[in-house]
Amino acid sequence: MTPKDLPMIDFDELDLEIELDSLLINKRISVRYRRNDIQAMLKTRSFLFPRLFRVALLDISSKGAAIISHKKLRSNSRVSFFLQFKDGRRFTISGKVANTQAAPRYGLKFDTYQTELAEHLLHTQTDLLFG
């Protein structure tokens, strides 16, 4: 068989440029941990009325967190996120509210990648929850 015997193909699927964002429905790439043993507090940043209140932690990663808050949060508002583990370890993380579309469920995006938090989440994980 020679190349002349093969049919001409105008469309080659293997020669396409693939954009990964279009293939990923869930764009959160880092490992998410579902934890119910971490206490979480959120402080909104405001000159006149800063508020500190408890939130429920749904899942967390080194880049952000999903929370439930009965206080209304605005998209792109700056927050401080406080975590306390059962072993007494505490983390204070600066970030912003990245997702408000499913309120009272909100998405937080951390300002920087939290390597120490990621290590501590991995080492203190006791229950494996998949979802």
Side-chain angles (χ1 to χ4, degrees), residues 4-131:
K4 292 179 182 179
D5 297 331
L6 297 173
M8 286 295 292
I9 300 174
D10 292 333
F11 179 74
D12 186 4
E13 290 182 20
L14 297 176
D15 197 29
L16 291 176
E17 286 188 31
I18 298 173
E19 188 171 327
L20 289 177
D21 284 345
S22 66
L23 297 176
L24 295 173
I25 294 171
N26 185 347
K27 295 183 183 180
R28 287 180 70 185
I29 295 173
S30 59
V31 176
R32 287 187 262 177
Y33 296 91
R34 288 187 172 184
R35 302 285 294 265
N36 55 13
D37 61 333
I38 304 171
Q39 293 180 17
M41 301 282 286
L42 194 71
K43 181 180 180 183
T44 57
R45 295 185 186 171
S46 171
F47 293 115
L48 300 176
F49 303 107
R51 297 182 298 173
L52 179 66
F53 51 92
R54 185 176 300 277
V55 295
L57 181 65
L58 295 174
D59 67 52
I60 188 165
S61 73
S62 57
K63 294 180 178 183
I67 61 168
I68 291 181
S69 171
H70 296 294
K71 306 278 187 192
K72 188 172 181 168
L73 301 173
R74 289 187 326 236
S75 185
N76 292 320
S77 60
R78 306 290 306 153
V79 295
S80 294
F81 190 49
F82 304 98
L83 299 171
Q84 182 169 344
F85 287 78
K86 285 197 178 208
D87 64 359
R89 183 82 188 265
R90 295 178 182 190
F91 291 89
T92 301
I93 304 167
S94 296
K96 70 176 183 176
V97 178
N99 188 341
T100 61
Q101 295 173 346
R105 181 184 170 134
Y106 295 94
L108 303 179
K109 181 178 179 184
F110 302 151
D111 288 342
T112 58
Y113 185 80
Q114 302 293 317
T115 52
E116 285 185 45
L117 174 63
E119 288 292 321
H120 198 69
L121 285 166
L122 178 63
H123 292 301
T124 60
Q125 179 75 20
T126 56
D127 296 331
L128 296 178
L129 301 174
F130 301 97

